[in-house]
Amino acid sequence: MITPVHYMLLSAALFIIGVVGVMVRKNIIIIFMSIELILNAVNINLVAFSAQLQNGIGQVFAIFVIAVAAAEAAVGLGIILAFYRNKETINIDEMNLMRS
Amino acid sequence: MAQAIAFYFIAACILGFAVLVVTTRDTVHSVLFLVLDFLFVAALYVLLGAQFLAAIQVLVYAGGIVVLYLFVVMLVNLKRPPEAHEDPHRRTKLGFGLAAAVLLELGAIAVYGSVNPAAPMPATPAIPVSGNTEQVGWLLYTSYLIPFEIASMLLLVAMIGAIVLAKREL
Amino acid sequence: MIDQVLIPLLKIVIVLNATLVAVTYMVLLERKVIAWAQSRLGPMRVGPYGVLQPIADAIKLMIKEDITPVRADKWVFTAAPIISMVPALIVYAVIPFGPTVSLFGRKVSLYITDINVGLLYIVSVASVGVYGIILAGYSSNSKYPLLASLRASAQLISYEVAVTLTLVSVILMAGSLSMVEIVNAQYNQHVWFVFAQPFAFVLVLIGGLAETNRAPFDLPEAEQELTGGFHTEYSGMRFALFFLAEYANMIVVSSVVTTLFLGGWLPPFPNVGALHLLYYVPSWTWFLIKSFLFLYLFIWIRATLPRYRYDQLMRLGWKVLIPLAILNLVVTGIVKVMLM
């Protein structure tokens, strides 16, 4: 029998994988993809509770999360492209212009 | 029973592909695994009775956002591997440590949950199949109308921002 | 057991096989029609009037050497044709070829399944198909395929927006996303949506041409500029898969347009009592006839119109089709509210 606990564990595991990706990788595109994984983990949680509580509110919030993810991807990738054009790198460790 | 098998299969695929996304060297392969991961998340939504969201997941994530990623990966034609430069300020160990702490906590919750289970949840009948889209649409246009409008404004702002950022000269 | 497993499996087998046969014969039809348009005969050697040509082509492609370029990304290179073929085939799961009929004393629906997000399913599956093209271009590790695939992905994404926006106005008319319900709505509202939504029909048709990379929007495979397009480095059966996917997509677009705008399996003027005679013709025949008309139209356009330039294509997509689609949607919404 699959209960919401199973979905929560799956969601948490996916979240951790995403967090590790953000922490460990240096390629900024992969870091962005890890953030997408984190957002998907959140969505799984929301939809699981939506099914459990038998209302659509969780799904509505999942749609908002997807909208935010789309906005984030568009602006973030725009920044990556602009940065790449100036510095010819997508290594996040070399993005330290603001560091004193 | 069939539902349990489907859940475990999909969950294994989601986690496996997520690990591959994070660990693969080649960025294009990583993007591909991300697409597969999102498709399996969509399958999970179908399992949960959220067909509309599953279709949106495939349409927006797999068909839109990840294509954008692939596009950028192909445009950013790398002459040297991005992982070459090592930053001394970087604390990779701290990242793994934090992740391990969360993993421990989760394991503790799982063990605790299996030892003394919570009050039995009411049985979960699936959301009525005919009404999923209508239900979501109804909520979006009544109770959540203002967040919906704000989300549309956010998308507009993001669109303008992306154009400003990506254009060489205005 | 029979209703749950056997009949759906049988339907899937029949639809898949029929599709693949139709796709191979589409190639022959295209060659023949273009030949006639140019006062030629077309393929005449294999079989009477060349009717066995597709089989000869298939054998030729299967026994050809399958080359993988040395510098190619092997896994992606192998996966790309499959990725472009699969979405083209699984779309047929929701296309209704006819209503529920009784066959041998058993109620059988002439569609594989009817899900409540049918149209959205088609749009989203079609949006995954673009990966096949992008990855083929990328993994070949060769400049022309890469250029072609960048063109193709930009084109597909742009026109997808226009087509999806246009389809929303059709959904607004029908009040449902289910393909079967959309056909039923056309019966109940006494009008094919091609008459109720003529703008949407034209927009979807143009967008469909662009989404299937057909002439006059076949820039991703412009032989003159790109030596063949994103599948330049492919040979043998893998090349054939790209080819088949393109034609399968054409059939998908024709079927979807038929379902949405020409009443699917309904005979012409379904509500006119005097024409009730037309109901004696099996419903799927009407569907196939209407789809065939669109396929013929596609070939006809290819034989007639010259290719667009790339900037013209983008301008048409973003500055003409998308604003028109939004306008159409707004007008449809206003009219629908006023009629309520």
Side-chain angles (χ1 to χ4, degrees):
Chain A
M1 183 63 203
I2 301 298
T3 56
V5 178
H6 290 84
Y7 284 99
M8 280 162 69
L9 283 176
L10 168 67
S11 158
L14 190 58
F15 192 93
I16 291 173
I17 294 172
V19 170
V20 171
V22 172
M23 293 279 200
V24 172
R25 294 305 297 259
K26 276 170 275 178
N27 184 337
I28 191 169
I29 296 178
I30 297 202
I31 289 178
F32 265 80
M33 289 196 283
S34 304
I35 295 174
E36 301 289 350
L37 286 180
I38 293 173
L39 291 173
N40 264 276
V42 174
N43 273 355
I44 289 174
N45 219 338
L46 287 171
V47 178
F49 276 108
S50 166
Q52 170 72 13
L53 302 173
Q54 295 174 44
N55 61 26
I57 297 174
Q59 295 175 35
V60 170
F61 272 90
I63 288 175
F64 288 140
V65 171
I66 291 178
V68 171
E72 173 245 327
V75 176
L77 293 174
I79 292 174
I80 293 176
L81 272 186
F83 193 85
Y84 178 76
R85 214 175 285 136
N86 290 324
K87 304 277 281 185
E88 294 249 316
T89 178
I90 52 166
N91 185 338
I92 196 158
D93 284 349
E94 294 175 35
M95 297 186 178
N96 50 9
L97 291 174
M98 301 278 276
R99 184 178 286 166
S100 57
Chain B
M1 190 59 207
Q3 205 201 4
I5 295 171
F7 172 79
Y8 283 118
F9 175 70
I10 293 172
C13 286
I14 289 175
L15 294 180
F17 285 125
V19 169
L20 285 172
V21 168
V22 173
T23 54
T24 311
R25 290 279 132 196
D26 190 332
T27 318
V28 171
H29 291 182
S30 194
V31 176
L32 278 185
F33 289 130
L34 191 68
V35 178
L36 283 171
D37 203 66
F38 286 168
L39 292 182
F40 277 106
V41 172
L44 197 70
Y45 292 164
V46 173
L47 200 64
L48 284 165
Q51 295 98 341
F52 178 71
L53 199 62
I56 291 294
Q57 166 93 5
V58 177
L59 183 63
V60 176
Y61 258 125
I65 297 178
V66 185
V67 174
L68 208 61
Y69 277 100
L70 201 54
F71 230 55
V72 171
V73 171
M74 284 161 73
L75 283 175
V76 178
N77 191 2
L78 290 177
K79 293 184 189 68
R80 62 201 168 107
E83 311 278 338
H85 178 90
E86 186 68 39
D87 186 1
H89 297 282
R90 194 174 184 85
R91 295 191 185 84
T92 307
K93 285 206 183 94
L94 182 68
F96 275 117
L98 282 176
V102 180
L103 202 61
L104 267 178
E105 190 183 339
L106 275 178
I109 293 171
V111 169
Y112 179 80
S114 57
V115 170
N116 29 344
M121 301 271 188
T124 54
I127 293 172
V129 170
S130 60
N132 179 254
T133 313
E134 287 88 339
Q135 194 187 12
V136 174
W138 184 260
L139 278 171
L140 268 181
Y141 282 97
T142 52
S143 316
Y144 294 90
L145 183 60
I146 292 172
F148 184 68
E149 297 292 338
I150 294 172
S152 69
M153 286 309 293
L154 174 75
L155 285 173
L156 182 66
V157 170
M159 196 164 79
I160 296 169
I163 292 170
V164 170
L165 282 168
K167 213 164 164 54
R168 274 164 212 276
E169 70 275 348
L170 285 173
Chain C
M1 184 66 190
I2 289 179
D3 281 327
Q4 291 290 315
V5 179
L6 204 62
I7 289 180
L9 268 181
L10 210 61
K11 280 194 277 195
I12 291 171
V13 169
I14 291 172
V15 168
L16 275 186
N17 281 303
T19 308
L20 289 174
V21 170
V23 163
T24 46
Y25 271 90
M26 261 310 289
V27 181
L28 178 68
L29 181 75
E30 173 156 47
R31 290 177 67 179
K32 276 287 187 189
V33 170
I34 290 182
W36 290 332
Q38 298 168 344
S39 305
R40 290 186 286 120
L41 283 174
M44 291 292 279
R45 294 298 173 107
V46 192
Y49 294 94
V51 287
L52 296 178
Q53 184 70 36
I55 296 162
D57 282 345
I59 293 172
K60 182 194 82 175
L61 285 167
M62 266 190 255
I63 59 178
K64 251 188 168 178
E65 188 188 354
D66 193 16
I67 303 167
T68 308
V70 180
R71 300 285 301 279
D73 188 334
K74 299 268 179 326
W75 285 101
V76 181
F77 192 78
T78 312
I82 303 168
I83 295 174
S84 66
M85 191 71 197
V86 169
L89 288 181
I90 60 176
V91 165
Y92 291 98
V94 295
I95 288 175
F97 298 95
T100 305
V101 295
S102 46
L103 273 178
F104 309 116
R106 193 179 281 282
K107 283 223 172 291
V108 178
S109 50
L110 295 182
Y111 41 84
I112 295 175
T113 179
D114 175 36
I115 54 178
N116 66 336
V117 288
L119 192 53
L120 211 54
Y121 168 83
I122 293 175
V123 174
S124 46
V125 167
S127 74
V128 174
V130 64
Y131 283 107
I133 293 174
I134 305 183
L135 293 173
Y138 166 79
S139 65
S140 300
N141 209 346
S142 163
K143 63 186 164 201
Y144 291 119
L146 185 67
L147 280 175
S149 77
L150 282 174
R151 274 186 180 187
S153 43
Q155 172 178 339
L156 290 183
I157 294 170
S158 317
Y159 279 79
E160 201 181 286
V161 178
V163 169
T164 311
L165 274 174
T166 316
L167 291 181
V168 175
S169 52
V170 179
I171 299 166
L172 217 56
M173 288 287 294
S176 173
L177 283 166
S178 147
M179 298 296 270
V180 176
E181 286 305 313
I182 289 174
V183 175
N184 286 336
Q186 298 181 56
Y187 180 79
N188 295 332
Q189 297 177 14
H190 301 266
V191 61
W192 284 1
F193 286 159
V194 63
F195 301 118
Q197 290 276 348
F199 278 111
F201 175 68
V202 175
L203 291 179
V204 169
L205 211 57
I206 296 173
L209 280 176
E211 288 242 31
T212 47
N213 295 331
R214 292 288 302 177
F217 306 116
D218 56 348
L219 290 147
E221 36 201 272
E223 292 88 351
Q224 292 86 346
E225 323 164 18
L226 294 168
T227 68
F230 55 86
H231 42 52
T232 302
E233 303 288 344
Y234 281 88
S235 62
M237 205 54 213
R238 296 193 222 179
F239 171 75
L241 279 182
F242 279 118
F243 211 66
L244 293 180
E246 185 187 326
Y247 284 88
N249 275 326
M250 261 169 78
I251 300 182
V252 167
V253 171
S254 318
S255 322
V256 171
V257 172
T258 303
T259 310
L260 295 186
F261 293 102
L262 288 193
W265 67 75
L266 298 173
F269 307 105
N271 307 91
V272 179
L275 290 173
H276 209 77
L277 207 65
L278 293 175
Y279 276 100
Y280 287 103
V281 180
S283 51
W284 48 270
T285 322
W286 291 115
F287 183 87
L288 294 185
I289 290 173
K290 292 173 193 168
S291 306
F292 179 80
L293 283 180
F294 282 110
L295 290 173
Y296 186 81
L297 184 70
F298 279 179
I299 299 171
W300 187 11
I301 289 174
R302 175 167 174 191
T304 314
L305 293 179
R307 183 177 296 138
Y308 259 60
R309 223 172 50 219
Y310 192 63
D311 57 323
Q312 291 173 329
L313 173 87
M314 281 296 161
R315 200 180 311 140
L316 180 72
W318 287 102
K319 294 190 180 167
V320 179
L321 291 190
I322 291 178
L324 277 181
I326 294 173
L327 193 69
N328 189 44
L329 177 59
V330 170
V331 171
T332 308
I334 291 172
V335 170
K336 171 127 183 171
V337 169
M338 278 164 66
L339 288 183
M340 252 156 66

